[in-house]
């Protein structure tokens, strides 16, 4: 069993120092093996131009992300944390994956939502799974609107993910119907770390709806948050329990697939 | 707007004459443009060998299926009805699609559930969409356990389905979480015609849980049945309302897909 945490909070809009301090503190003080933070945790969400994002973005070896990955190693905890990434002239809505026993990796959001398309480049990492050797856990990451496409979680699960981390800044409500289905249709754990609060830019408000949750591989809600609270959710999960996709004496949800028909 | 009906009933186990009479009568007396019947409506469900299915199977131009397709034409209604199909030495868990303005088609179930694997051959038609010219409706069919695979509804929707008919003999309950998600993740109407009752074979019982439903393209339940009742559900739907997959000024759930990442 491993202890999985998702942190729900309200990042301070455009204040990377303050958010990084919050994240580093949460890593040090959360008794968990894996900790998931929301999308764009370091900087807030609602940007409407590349210039705006450029002001808060940094590379994965920049000072704030380094502070976060150092905190992960110092606490011996695997961290998944959303941030605005700069890579040369490119800008990505990314999540860093860092901690004991693994090389630091970055997932770049595949499906961009709304005005993110004005700010970020489409992710070019694709979906991938990171094996966490000391936890015997295969971790995949998708970010927020990626959930809307069943192909995202499916691709991760077919690559062997036991656990999908979903750093999010969710603004609609239908995700709460879909996330448990994403979990059970792939028989994987799914951890949604959502933020809450409202941000305003160019006269437009965007409100995030919290309700972060950890779903078991059968779609059950193991733990969930309210719509507006700073809270850390923790569940004990058994990654190895996801790997046998057989559910009766004959059927197996992966072996029964017929990709030639899709 | 078109009138869409799903018929929930309890087929008489192995009595093809009685079930066909029920179906033909329902076609004549249901005021709808499209009528969906459950999986294996003509013969019942729980067979455990090819010999058993062979005793109730017939080709699409056999007498009972001909009676059903004739009834569809006579009533000027499109019918989707599950039956056990014989094609030479092959046996399929199929649905006939017949009615005004279209050539009769057969969909053969792609994903076989449990002991169906002992009785039927895997479907070889793939998923396809039938254009109903007089209704301006693009109809796709998946059968029961096909729902378990997001690829089924996705494949139909990407082929242009406005409406997915899902003749079913559902025995678990998680489908009720997934079906509305199948509808809204593809922005299609989805009609589940389930049966109810229990069948016993070789000392094993299989119980079907009714609760047939028609879902709108946003996942809303337009109408639904109880777990154990013979009932015809009817909804008025607008197939053309499904075709614009854009949901804000920027995002479109189909154009936003990135198949190179799946």
């Amino acid at each position: 069993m491993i202890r999985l945490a998702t942190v729900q909070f309200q990042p301070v809009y455009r204040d990377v120092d303050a958010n990084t301090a919050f994240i580093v503190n949460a890593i040090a003080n959360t008794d968990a093996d894996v900790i998931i933070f929301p999308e764009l945790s370091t900087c807030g969400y609602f940007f409407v131009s590349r210039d705006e994002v450029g002001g808060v973005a940094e590379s994965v070896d920049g000072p704030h992300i380094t502070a976060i990955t150092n905190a992960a190693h110092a606490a011996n905890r695997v961290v998944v944390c959303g941030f605005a990434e700069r890579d040369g002239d490119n800008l990505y809505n990314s999540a860093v994956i860092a901690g004991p026993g693994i090389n630091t990796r970055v997932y770049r959001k595949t499906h961009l939502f709304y005005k993110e398309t004005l700010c970020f480049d489409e992710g070019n990492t694709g979906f991938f799974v990171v094996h966490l050797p000391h936890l015997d856990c295969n971790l995949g990451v998708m970010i927020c609107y990626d959930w809307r496409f069943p192909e995202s979680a499916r691709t991760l699960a077919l690559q062997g993910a036991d656990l999908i981390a979903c750093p999010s800044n969710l603004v609609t409500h239908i995700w709460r119907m879909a996330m448990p289905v994403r979990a059970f249709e792939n028989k994987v754990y799914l951890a949604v770390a959502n933020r809450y609060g409202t941000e305003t830019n160019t006269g437009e408000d965007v409100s995030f709806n919290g309700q972060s949750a950890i779903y078991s591989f059968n779609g059950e809600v193991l733990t969930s948050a309210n719509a507006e609270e700073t809270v850390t959710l923790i569940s004990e999960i058994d990654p190895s329990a996801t790997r046998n996709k057989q559910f009766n004496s004959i059927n197996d949800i992966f072996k029964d697939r017929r990709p030639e028909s899709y």
Side-chain angles (χ1 to χ4, degrees), chain A:
Chain A
M1 301 293 282
I2 68 172
R3 285 174 63 85
L4 168 65
T6 70
V7 178
Q8 174 171 304
F9 76 115
Q10 182 173 205
V12 182
Y13 194 28
R14 305 178 193 246
D15 190 339
V16 181
D17 288 343
N19 294 321
T20 301
F22 174 91
I23 293 162
V24 165
N25 183 63
I27 294 168
N29 292 296
T30 301
D31 177 17
D33 301 300
V34 178
I35 310 178
I36 319 296
F37 291 90
E39 179 182 15
L40 296 174
S41 281
T42 56
C43 54
Y45 177 81
F46 195 26
F47 302 99
V48 298
S49 72
R50 295 178 70 89
D51 281 352
E52 284 185 355
V53 168
V56 296
E58 67 182 58
S59 67
V60 68
D61 57 2
H64 298 90
I65 305 307
T66 298
I68 291 167
T69 59
N70 284 348
H73 284 281
N76 200 39
R77 290 169 186 146
V78 174
V79 169
V80 178
C81 182
F83 73 108
E85 183 192 7
R86 177 189 298 285
D87 179 22
D89 290 336
N90 291 327
L91 297 166
Y92 299 102
N93 182 335
S94 294
V96 63
I97 305 151
I102 59 171
N103 295 320
T104 297
R105 298 285 299 271
V106 172
Y107 167 68
R108 294 169 172 167
K109 188 174 184 178
T110 300
H111 306 93
L112 297 178
F113 185 77
Y114 196 47
K115 294 188 177 176
E116 296 168 30
T117 57
L118 310 178
C119 307
F120 294 106
D121 296 286
E122 286 189 324
N124 61 356
T125 56
F127 297 101
F128 58 87
V129 167
V130 177
H131 181 63
L132 310 177
H134 67 303
L135 302 174
D136 187 23
C137 177
N138 298 306
L139 170 68
V141 177
M142 62 183 189
I143 297 178
C144 202
Y145 181 54
D146 285 334
W147 76 262
R148 193 70 170 74
F149 305 84
E151 296 89 347
S152 304
R154 190 60 134 195
T155 300
L156 289 168
L158 289 173
Q159 291 179 14
D162 306 313
L163 164 64
I164 295 177
C166 188
S168 296
N169 283 189
L170 290 152
V171 298
T172 67
H173 287 276
I174 49 172
W175 66 270
R176 298 181 67 219
M177 293 172 66
M179 292 292 188
V181 177
R182 297 284 174 263
F184 82 64
E185 72 193 3
N186 294 297
K187 197 179 176 185
V188 294
Y189 292 97
L190 176 59
V192 178
N194 196 16
R195 63 161 289 178
Y196 67 98
T198 298
E199 289 178 356
T200 304
N201 196 342
T202 59
E204 184 177 0
D205 291 340
V206 174
S207 292
F208 311 94
N209 53 44
Q211 302 173 83
S212 298
I214 299 175
Y215 301 90
S216 185
F217 53 78
N218 62 5
E220 180 189 357
V221 177
L222 296 175
T223 175
S224 64
N226 293 326
E228 298 211 359
E229 63 173 332
T230 297
V231 64
T232 299
L233 305 175
I234 296 185
S235 290
E236 296 216 338
I237 67 169
D238 176 7
S240 69
T242 67
R243 293 173 196 165
N244 181 353
K245 306 294 188 186
Q246 192 169 337
F247 67 93
N248 63 33
S249 59
I250 293 172
N251 289 111
D252 178 302
I253 58 168
F254 277 14
K255 290 180 185 159
D256 290 347
R257 293 177 71 249
R258 298 191 59 198
E260 72 279 14
S261 298
Y262 307 151

